[in-house]
Amino acid sequence: MNAPAAETIEPTHRRGGGRLGRKALRSAPVASFPTLVRQIPVYEIVPDEAVELIHEESLKILEEVGCEFRDDEAIALWKAAGADVRETRVRIDRALLMELVSKVPPEFTLHARNPERTVRVGGKNSIFVPMYGAPYVRDLDNKRRYGTLADLNNFHKLAYMAPALHSSSSIICEPMEIPVPKRHLHIIHSALKHSDKPFMGIVTSKERAEDTMAMAGIVFGEDFVRDNPVLVAITNCNSPLVWDATMLDAMRVYARHNQPLILAPFALCGASTSASAVGAVAQVNAEALAGVAFTQLIRPGSPQIYGQFMVTVDMKTGAPMGGTPEAAQMMYLMGALARKYKLPWRTSGFHVGSKLNDAQAGYEANMLMHAAILAGANYIWHSAGWLEAGLTCGYSKFATDCEQLVGWYKYAGGLPFDDFKDALAAIREVGPQGHFLGTQHTLEHFERAFFMPSIMDFNSFEQWTAEGAKDHDTRGLEKARNMLADYQEPKLDEGVAEGLKDLIARREEKLPDSVS
């Protein structure tokens, strides 16, 4: 495959090869960075005693209050496991709960159709994943409108080309012109056609999840996807304390195929939780653990991702807010709990409330991504494109986020010392009053010594003015256009491509054009 021209960076956790190795890496464009292996410590915001307190209260919630599982098959599974079931309310004894949770592997491999894009999730590994689910886009003319299939194709292309994105997600934006019953087929086809990175599944019905697995089977082989993770799917608990039939249906489809699910309560703190950061975490932890445990009733040992989506609400209007300090603090708590349970965990990176790719978006994004990195998150979702509390995916924001992820990748990869002796030798070579611009060390390292973004502007005021006095949003749009112009499709095998088209055609014949 011909890799597209892309920004390159030498991953700091790769060692060896010396000068020749670094020169070879510089000369070969990298379409996707390897899994980020964090080389910086996690930050513990509270002492262990506080984490234990939250853990204990979460267990009490599940033992004393219980959690709703609104599905007959789920209720039957919990009864067979020995839980206290009364109608749809399930109270789970802590011993049973923790026995089930302990079956989840602490790490797993997430396979891509191009093996070079395969990643690891869990432990010290982190991956960046673009946003999901926006009905609107802020387009290349900076206009807000409904998303289309052409937009979705473009975002999958951008995700493929962004070196620090490890997945193409799936529903980055909704292709609103396609009927809802058939939409999932085109969403998954776009993710598989325009990128060879891992992708995400559809969870809005059992049949759509099954169609997703059928399409994955065509690409990877039915036997392979029966046991090996090739996608991640998101299931949300309806806070407070309800797992509904739609989510439980999707859980069964994916868990039976050994495909990881994100078990993530969707919590609007102050509305669907109490108006307390620590109280919200205790509730969300209980909800997430109940979901994780249920997957192990379906297939013990299946890989899963403990997760959360926790934003505070504006107590004046009820609107969700992005990038608040409380959201960051809650991430740190969830990270500590995930490590206690030895579970891979998900959070969100660049999710913001701003309507534009402006200063507010930058402040909000930095607050949350810093917390995600320092809290040790493994699956950092909503890492590109998110605007307007998730209602909109912006082209400029997507390109900007992708560039910033290169910096976060370098930051979390730690501070390398592999050229330290060469750097000190350069000091002796130059001596007092000289400069380093022409030294051998500088010539060999200048391309990777420092993060050098192309969208951010560091020119003089005069140079910036001469080049059109473009603001950051405008430069982001230009970068998105240039990336799309350089895109080269990672071609599917001809037989695989035809198989996908045939499946889509057959399924569309059977599916209605509207939801009844």
Side-chain angles (χ1 to χ4, degrees):
M1 180 193 314
N2 293 322
E7 276 188 281
T8 61
I9 183 172
E10 183 174 355
T12 56
H13 63 272
R14 282 187 170 180
R15 298 287 183 261
R19 292 178 180 177
L20 290 177
R22 291 193 292 273
K23 183 176 180 181
L25 280 171
R26 280 201 302 273
S27 63
V30 178
S32 186
F33 294 169
T35 306
L36 168 59
V37 181
R38 296 187 312 279
Q39 301 293 343
I40 58 176
V42 295
Y43 180 69
E44 304 286 357
I45 197 171
V46 296
D48 291 345
E49 295 81 2
V51 177
E52 284 299 316
L53 174 64
I54 293 171
H55 165 70
E56 281 294 319
E57 293 304 317
S58 296
L59 297 185
K60 290 178 183 177
I61 289 170
L62 291 177
E63 288 177 326
E64 298 169 7
V65 180
C67 187
E68 290 278 317
F69 281 80
R70 295 179 177 170
D71 173 85
D72 291 342
E73 187 176 342
I75 289 300
L77 286 169
W78 278 118
K79 283 181 178 178
D84 177 5
V85 178
R86 304 173 200 176
E87 296 182 346
T88 56
R89 183 76 62 90
V90 179
R91 293 173 175 83
I92 311 168
D93 174 79
R94 65 183 60 201
L96 172 61
L97 178 77
M98 298 315 298
E99 178 190 356
L100 291 169
V101 169
S102 70
K103 296 179 186 296
V104 176
E107 295 186 30
F108 63 89
T109 296
L110 180 60
H111 296 273
R113 72 171 172 94
N114 178 352
E116 292 181 3
R117 314 285 192 255
T118 291
V119 293
R120 289 285 290 174
V121 179
K124 294 183 70 175
N125 304 302
S126 293
I127 64 171
F128 297 119
V129 182
M131 76 164 293
Y132 181 104
Y136 299 98
V137 299
R138 184 160 286 278
D139 65 19
L140 289 167
D141 295 319
N142 218 2
K143 304 295 185 184
R144 181 182 184 270
R145 57 169 172 77
Y146 280 124
T148 66
L149 183 58
D151 292 311
L152 182 64
N153 296 163
N154 281 343
F155 285 126
H156 285 147
K157 292 174 184 178
L158 292 172
Y160 167 68
M161 296 187 69
L165 281 177
H166 298 97
S167 166
S168 300
S169 188
S170 61
I171 320 171
I172 296 177
C173 72
E174 292 273 4
M176 300 292 281
E177 78 274 29
I178 299 175
V180 170
K182 303 176 180 180
R183 190 176 294 174
H184 64 288
L185 299 167
H186 298 274
I187 290 167
I188 298 302
H189 183 248
S190 178
L192 291 170
K193 172 181 168 66
H194 296 107
S195 174
D196 59 6
K197 296 180 180 182
F199 68 106
M200 296 189 70
I202 303 294
V203 296
T204 48
S205 76
K206 176 184 177 182
E207 292 74 20
R208 294 169 195 170
E210 289 172 340
D211 285 342
T212 300
M213 289 309 308
M215 295 175 78
I218 291 171
V219 173
F220 291 90
E222 290 183 5
D223 290 339
F224 190 82
V225 302
R226 199 169 290 121
D227 296 311
N228 297 285
V230 301
L231 60 84
V232 172
I234 174 67
T235 51
N236 290 127
C237 179
N238 291 333
S239 298
L241 298 165
V242 175
W243 284 100
D244 67 29
T246 300
M247 294 293 97
L248 295 168
D249 271 347
M251 280 190 210
R252 284 193 289 271
V253 172
Y254 290 120
R256 283 171 180 155
H257 282 87
N258 210 46
Q259 303 302 312
L261 294 141
I262 300 171
L263 292 310
F266 188 96
L268 301 176
C269 300
S272 60
T273 76
S274 60
S276 159
V278 292
V281 170
Q283 175 189 314
V284 165
N285 183 45
E287 295 167 336
L289 289 177
V292 170
F294 178 70
T295 65
Q296 301 308 293
L297 297 178
I298 301 167
R299 181 165 174 166
S302 59
Q304 306 299 334
I305 301 174
Y306 165 91
Q308 53 85 20
F309 183 87
M310 303 172 73
V311 296
T312 56
V313 299
D314 185 329
M315 301 307 288
K316 300 185 296 294
T317 66
M321 299 189 292
T324 63
E326 295 82 10
Q329 290 168 336
M330 291 185 288
M331 278 191 203
Y332 287 114
L333 293 177
M334 294 298 289
L337 289 161
R339 287 187 291 277
K340 174 180 175 61
Y341 307 132
K342 297 181 173 59
L343 291 173
W345 74 285
R346 165 261 166 152
T347 193
S348 301
F350 286 151
H351 70 90
V352 304
S354 182
K355 316 305 178 288
L356 300 169
N357 187 20
D358 58 6
Q360 178 181 331
Y363 287 132
E364 291 179 297
N366 183 70
M367 173 72 79
L368 296 181
M369 184 59 79
H370 218 133
I373 293 293
L374 292 183
N378 304 117
Y379 193 95
I380 306 178
W381 200 13
H382 305 319
S383 290
W386 182 288
L387 287 170
E388 199 181 336
L391 290 174
T392 297
C393 185
Y395 279 84
S396 176
K397 180 69 159 45
F398 200 102
T400 297
D401 289 342
C402 289
E403 182 171 273
Q404 287 299 304
L405 290 176
V406 175
W408 284 108
Y409 189 101
K410 189 166 187 178
Y411 176 84
L415 197 58
F417 275 72
D418 54 353
D419 70 331
F420 189 49
K421 289 183 179 178
D422 291 343
L424 294 178
I427 296 171
R428 288 167 172 79
E429 176 187 342
V430 172
Q433 296 187 2
H435 68 78
F436 292 79
L437 296 177
T439 66
Q440 188 66 29
H441 179 268
T442 299
L443 293 174
E444 291 186 353
H445 291 84
F446 75 95
E447 290 178 310
R448 288 178 174 76
F450 310 111
F451 173 51
M452 294 189 293
S454 63
I455 299 175
M456 300 174 77
D457 186 276
F458 302 100
N459 289 325
S460 67
F461 178 81
E462 290 76 16
Q463 184 66 30
W464 173 73
T465 302
E467 292 179 359
K470 297 170 185 173
D471 63 18
H472 191 80
D473 204 11
T474 301
R475 294 194 299 273
L477 288 172
E478 289 183 351
K479 181 63 176 283
R481 289 192 194 97
N482 291 338
M483 290 174 71
L484 290 171
D486 291 338
Y487 172 77
Q488 297 178 40
E489 184 179 319
K491 295 287 187 181
L492 287 160
D493 175 85
E494 186 174 340
V496 169
E498 288 302 316
L500 289 172
K501 289 179 182 177
D502 179 65
L503 183 146
I504 290 169
R506 286 186 286 107
R507 289 294 292 138
E508 284 198 313
E509 284 183 4
K510 296 180 179 180
L511 293 170
D513 285 330
S514 61
V515 179
S516 58

